[in-house]
């Protein structure tokens, strides 16, 4: 599959966003947010492959992650006497990476071109194989 120059740059950006999503999921494990971590790992894997569905799912996860982090932080602060510095760092890094990856996935011109071209190519392949 040949990609345009913009989509090729988007492929590299998608790889970087995929790594950010893996890191966010790892930090979600540190904040005991196991369901978000599991879904984040799956979405990150498919983002790198150019899945438009994974991109949309990752956007929803990043939007949902912020209130969930706030809720988990409030519960942890209420029931623990010592608020662990590692926990605070994990929540902060997760929140920053959430916002950065969300902005890139929603407004990145190159990454959107990459997802559109891979989606179009997968549709053409399905038509060629009569599997649609």
């Amino acid at each position: 599959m040949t990609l345009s120059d913009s989509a090729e740059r988007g492929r590299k950006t998608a790889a970087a966003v995929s790594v950010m999503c893996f890191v966010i999921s790892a930090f979600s494990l540190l904040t005991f947010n196991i369901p978000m971590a599991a879904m984040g790992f799956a979405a990150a894997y498919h983002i790198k492959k150019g899945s438009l569905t994974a991109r949309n799912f990752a956007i929803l996860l990043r939007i949902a992650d912020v209130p969930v982090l706030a809720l988990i932080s409030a519960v942890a602060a209420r029931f623990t006497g010592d608020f662990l510095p590692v926990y605070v760092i994990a929540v902060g890094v997760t929140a920053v990476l959430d916002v950065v990856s969300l902005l890139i996935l929603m407004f990145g011109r190159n990454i959107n071109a990459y997802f559109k071209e891979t989606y179009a190519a997968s549709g053409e392949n399905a038509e060629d194989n009569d599997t649609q």
Side-chain angles (χ1 to χ4, degrees):
M1 175 174 87
T2 59
L3 298 173
S4 67
D5 290 338
S6 178
E8 191 62 39
R9 288 189 300 270
R11 185 178 61 81
K12 293 174 186 173
T13 306
V17 169
S18 176
V19 169
M20 282 194 288
C21 287
F22 272 115
V23 171
I24 291 168
S25 296
F27 278 116
S28 290
L29 285 176
L30 289 177
T31 60
F32 306 111
N33 193 355
I34 294 167
M36 284 284 204
M39 290 183 288
F41 284 129
Y45 173 75
H46 292 287
I47 283 174
K48 189 174 180 182
K49 292 185 170 201
S51 172
L52 189 59
T53 305
R55 172 198 170 261
N56 295 336
F57 187 68
I59 288 172
L60 292 174
L61 279 177
R62 300 297 61 104
I63 291 170
D65 201 23
V66 174
V68 169
L69 277 174
L71 178 68
I72 290 174
S73 297
V75 169
R78 172 74 173 104
F79 293 111
T80 60
D82 251 348
F83 209 53
L84 299 172
V86 172
Y87 184 81
V88 173
I89 291 169
V91 169
V93 168
T94 303
V96 168
L97 287 175
D98 274 339
V99 171
V100 169
S101 64
L102 182 64
L103 290 174
I104 291 172
L105 285 171
M106 289 178 69
F107 302 113
R109 189 176 328 148
N110 294 333
I111 197 167
N112 288 333
Y114 171 62
F115 286 121
K116 285 179 185 176
E117 287 187 24
T118 55
Y119 179 75
S122 68
E124 290 171 5
N125 290 338
E127 287 175 5
D128 291 341
N129 296 332
D130 292 328
T131 59
Q132 203 175 34

